[in-house]
């Protein structure tokens, strides 16, 4: 019997319920291979591109932008006005009394690649975004040091810098997944308190060496911001010496005010809360300060009612960003299952995806894997046959740590613990193409 070129061949299948090998889709030209035939079905205009006569006059010829000159240059660019639907969703828990307190997640479902545009970076402010004049802002390093130092922003700008592409995740990210019923919102509204930028700045070690830190005595650093919350966290000195960054720039330009302009601490792979924005001082001390943010907040409630402190490393995690919650697949056929993976404990080694709720798993191709604490983009082709599917992704890091299931996560902590949720996300696709969050 002749095989149907529209259908994937047995050797194209990577796992159950339609997951394909990437090579099956990428090899060969349009219409030549079986997978090429699916691609052609996705692009009804492909025939025109291949030289076949167009069925109707091409609309492109009558489009006004082809006949009149376009707009002028601009001094600072904006995205297309047709892209305004891509935005953060603002959450204000105390809107009436404190509208500036809250957070807004990155719309992960609308992103491509691994860099978060600065205008879509997630935000979390405890007392709003201060409007800081860099000429009046200073950074002080003091405590267990030989020479307490105060830096103007102009002085900081003269130090040697390094750049790194790294994620920043709020430890409260995904806590909506502890709701009794799965919330029916977008991927970004649940998991979007993670973003990834190219951060440029001065290694913390450079400034600590200059201040002459008493490395025998000092064990912790209290970092404080100059927003109205004067948020402060204690951070182990060793961590800051190994990769802490005094960040001045984000994606090639000065930090955005929302991200800590003119200077923030950046602590790679650790919960966002310790990356103090609007950084004004770092005090070298022997023991942690036991600030509000490390006693009543940002501790992990355990099943026995005790709370664990200083669990600042972010765990291995991933989420499928497309298809994802609130999307509708228009028809059966070929889709790319894609998403993001990250880990505070090491590089991402692999991400597997399942279309049958975890019964069978397929490998994905990874982009950004070489980055230490970057976001990794994973991709796998999926031929949806119109039947119900349960899409999942599962990340493994280089130390062999594997993302847990939701069931495994919720028994590890108290159900009231708000932090460090990293379980596998399941998106259910129903025959009408609707994608929902399910447990
Ligand atoms: N000074 C100060 N630093 C801060 C905060 C803050 O409110 N004030 N929020 C913290 C929290 S909880 C997180 S998750 C990150 C968020 O950084 P972002 O807004 O750049 O995403 O900043 C941290 N640093
Ligand atoms: Mo946070």
């Amino acid at each position: 019997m002749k095989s149907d070129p529209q259908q994937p061949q047995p050797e194209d299948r990577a796992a159950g319920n339609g997951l394909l090998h990437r090579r099956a889709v990428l090899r060969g030209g349009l219409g030549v291979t079986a997978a090429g035939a699916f691609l052609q079905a996705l692009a009804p205009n492909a025939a025109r591109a291949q030289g076949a006569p167009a069925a109707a006059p091409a609309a492109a010829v009558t489009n006004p932008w082809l006949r009149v000159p376009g707009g002028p240059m601009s001094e600072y660019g904006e995205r297309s006005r047709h892209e305004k639907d891509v935005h953060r969703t603002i959450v204000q828990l105390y809107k009436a009394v404190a509208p500036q307190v809250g957070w807004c997640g990155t719309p992960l479902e609308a992103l491509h690649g691994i860099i978060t545009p600065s205008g879509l970076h997630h935000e979390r402010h405890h007392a709003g975004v201060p409007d800081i004049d860099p000429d009046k802002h200073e950074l002080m390093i003091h405590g267990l040091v030989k020479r307490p130092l105060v830096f103007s922003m102009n002085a900081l700008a003269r130090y040697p810098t390094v750049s790194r592409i790294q994620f920043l995740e709020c430890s409260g990210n995904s806590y909506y997944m502890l709701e009794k019923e799965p919330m029916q919102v977008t991927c970004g509204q649940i998991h979007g308190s993670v973003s990834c930028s190219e951060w440029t700045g001065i290694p913390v070690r450079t400034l600590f060496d200059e201040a002459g830190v008493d490395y025998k005595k000092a064990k912790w650093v209290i970092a404080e911001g100059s927003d109205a919350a004067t948020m402060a966290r204690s951070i182990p000195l060793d961590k800051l010496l190994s990769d802490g960054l005094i960040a001045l720039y984000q994606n090639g330009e000065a930090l955005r005010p929302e991200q800590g302009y003119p200077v923030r601490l950046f602590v790679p792979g650790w919960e966002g809360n310790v990356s103090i924005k609007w950084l004004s001082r770092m005090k070298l001390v022997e023991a942690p300060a036991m600030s509000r943010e490390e006693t009543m907040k940002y501790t992990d409630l355990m099943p026995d009612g005790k709370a664990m402190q200083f669990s600042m490393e972010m765990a291995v995690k991933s989420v499928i960003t497309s298809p994802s919650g609130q999307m509708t697949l228009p028809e059966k056929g070929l889709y790319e299952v894609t998403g993001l993976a990250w880990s505070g404990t090491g590089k991402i080694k692999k991400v597997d995806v399942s279309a049958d709720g975890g019964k069978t798993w397929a490998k994905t191709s990874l982009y950004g894997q070489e980055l230490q604490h970057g976001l990794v983009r994973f991709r796998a082709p999926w031929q949806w046959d119109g039947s119900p599917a349960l899409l999942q992704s599962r990340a493994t890091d280089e130390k062999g740590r594997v993302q847990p299931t939701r069931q495994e996560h919720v028994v590890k902590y108290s159900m009231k613990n708000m932090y460090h949720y990293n379980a596998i996300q399941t998106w259910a696709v129903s025959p009408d193409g609707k994608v929902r969050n399910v447990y």
Side-chain angles (χ1 to χ4, degrees), residues 255-268:
L255 294 174
R256 291 284 168 102
E258 296 82 356
Q259 265 68 63
Y261 179 86
V263 56
R264 92 179 294 167
L265 183 61
F266 190 82
V267 187

Side-chain angles (χ1 to χ4, degrees), residues 7-25 35 38 320 322-323 333-339 351-365 378-394 427 429:
Q7 288 309 313
Q9 304 303 300
E11 67 274 19
D12 295 336
R13 297 185 191 283
N17 208 6
L19 284 163
L20 302 178
H21 288 298
R22 200 165 154 83
R23 59 176 146 75
V25 179
F38 324 143
I320 293 172
S322 181
L334 184 75
Y335 292 88
E336 184 170 66
V337 174
T338 183
V351 183
D352 298 317
V353 292
S354 176
D356 54 18
K359 285 196 205 91
T360 61
W361 295 91
K363 282 197 190 118
T364 62
S365 76
F378 62 86
R379 301 172 163 114
W382 178 50
Q383 169 79 3
W384 182 48
D385 66 4
S387 60
L390 294 172
L391 297 174
Q392 298 183 331
S393 65
R394 183 184 64 191
W427 301 119
V429 184

Side-chain angles (χ1 to χ4, degrees), residues 121-124 126 170 227 259 264 272-273 275 277 298:
H121 194 286
H122 75 90
E123 296 180 38
R124 172 76 181 105
H126 292 238
C170 175
D227 52 337
Q259 265 68 63
R264 92 179 294 167
N273 192 254
S275 284
K277 300 191 277 192
Y298 300 98

Side-chain angles (χ1 to χ4, degrees), residues 97-111:
V97 286
Q100 62 283 89
V101 176
W103 69 87
C104 52
T106 296
L108 299 176
E109 63 283 357
L111 297 194

Side-chain angles (χ1 to χ4, degrees), residues 315-360:
V316 61
K317 187 164 171 179
S318 72
V319 64
I320 293 172
T321 55
S322 181
S324 65
Q326 304 297 97
M327 290 183 179
T328 303
L329 304 185
E331 59 191 8
K332 52 188 179 176
L334 184 75
Y335 292 88
E336 184 170 66
V337 174
T338 183
L340 295 163
W342 62 98
S343 171
T345 62
K347 289 179 185 166
I348 292 294
K349 190 167 152 236
K350 61 169 186 167
V351 183
D352 298 317
V353 292
S354 176
D356 54 18
K359 285 196 205 91
T360 61

